[in-house]
Amino acid sequence: MTESACQSFLGLSIGCAKCHNHPLEKWTNDQYYAMANLFSRVRAKGWGGDSRNGDGVRQLYISTSGELVQPNLGKAQPPAPLDSEPMAFDDPRDRREVLAEWLTDPANPYFARSTHQSHLGKLLWSRVG
């Protein structure tokens, strides 16, 4: 979810930082796992596909525990959006809401740039076809 969210909403590719500090960008291994821990308690239940294997419904829910362990350190990174202060592990807020607030904050340069590029691309491609 981390890599998809960063690519979709921020226009950033942080996949390299999953294993090592990103060679061409500023994103570190620590930042990757801090961002990933924003999603670590999101769980799915149900098959979500062929109804022969259940009701065909897949539901997401939020668990009250669960942290993603960073392999290089052997411990979890406190959850945090990129370049932001970390949350406490026991913070009762929904981590996705914290991420959404950070994403849409007017001071977040990545979201505005990514959204602008996306809309500009759609506008330009609609003129070509």
Side-chain angles (χ1 to χ4, degrees), residues 50-71:
D50 190 342
S51 60
R52 293 176 292 176
N53 296 314
D55 62 6
V57 176
R58 185 176 182 114
Q59 297 176 337
L60 296 179
Y61 68 98
I62 303 300
S63 175
T64 57
S65 63
E67 308 299 343
L68 182 63
V69 173
Q70 181 183 2

Side-chain angles (χ1 to χ4, degrees), residues 54-112:
D55 62 6
V57 176
R58 185 176 182 114
Q59 297 176 337
L60 296 179
Y61 68 98
I62 303 300
S63 175
T64 57
S65 63
E67 308 299 343
L68 182 63
V69 173
Q70 181 183 2
N72 292 342
L73 298 178
K75 63 180 185 176
Q77 287 292 116
L82 298 173
D83 285 343
S84 295
E85 292 297 315
M87 298 173 64
F89 287 117
D90 61 351
D91 190 318
R93 296 178 293 170
D94 185 332
R95 294 175 179 185
R96 297 169 307 158
E97 290 179 5
V98 171
L99 176 61
E101 289 170 12
W102 173 79
L103 279 172
T104 58
D105 187 316
N108 182 341
Y110 309 110
F111 185 70

Side-chain angles (χ1 to χ4, degrees), residues 4-55:
S4 295
C6 286
Q7 186 69 52
S8 298
F9 298 118
L10 304 172
L12 299 174
S13 175
I14 67 165
C16 290
K18 183 176 184 178
C19 301
H20 51 80
N21 292 341
H22 199 296
L24 303 174
E25 298 284 344
K26 68 178 192 170
W27 311 120
T28 66
N29 191 242
D30 290 345
Q31 287 175 304
Y32 178 93
Y33 282 94
M35 183 79 167
N37 258 330
L38 292 169
F39 299 104
S40 65
R41 295 183 179 180
V42 176
R43 304 280 193 267
K45 62 182 175 181
W47 182 251
D50 190 342
S51 60
R52 293 176 292 176
N53 296 314
D55 62 6

